[in-house]
Amino acid sequence: MEQRGVDQVFAGRLAQNIKVKRDGAKVWYFTFELSHPDTKEVQVFAMTTKRGTTKRTWADPRVLFAYLADRYGVSEGTFVLEEATDDQ
């Protein structure tokens, strides 16, 4: 999901189960769950780059945590230390 969509989700306080994950050396990103308003089916999203082709990543998890806190007011979530796989 592009940043504009992520901004809307967090502004509406719709994001659930926020996780920060590692996808290799110096490749950190976050995911969140969002329930479909009609079906209540839960989907997992990650922020994408401006072109929407790849995940938006951070080299330093401290910068990612600061971004989540400053931009979205995130104060809790899950930190996944083992490297993420496509099914996580």
Side-chain angles (χ1 to χ4, degrees):
M1 179 180 295
E2 290 184 15
Q3 183 170 344
R4 181 176 44 232
V6 175
D7 288 349
Q8 292 172 345
V9 168
F10 278 84
R13 299 187 180 273
L14 301 172
Q16 306 165 357
N17 200 20
I18 301 162
K19 294 182 180 180
V20 172
K21 298 182 177 186
R22 181 177 63 186
D23 197 20
K26 296 188 178 184
V27 181
W28 295 86
Y29 66 100
F30 71 95
T31 63
F32 60 93
E33 294 178 356
L34 179 61
S35 297
H36 188 280
D38 297 327
T39 65
K40 305 299 182 212
E41 181 181 345
V42 176
Q43 292 182 304
V44 178
F45 292 92
M47 182 184 289
T48 60
T49 60
K50 288 183 181 180
R51 293 188 178 138
T53 55
T54 59
K55 281 185 297 212
R56 167 67 168 95
T57 61
W58 286 257
D60 186 337
R62 295 171 297 183
V63 175
L64 173 53
F65 285 123
Y67 176 85
L68 288 169
D70 295 343
R71 186 168 187 107
Y72 300 122
V74 174
S75 60
E76 61 182 71
T78 303
F79 183 65
V80 181
L81 288 174
E82 65 270 0
E83 289 191 23
T85 61
D86 289 337
D87 62 337
Q88 287 184 325

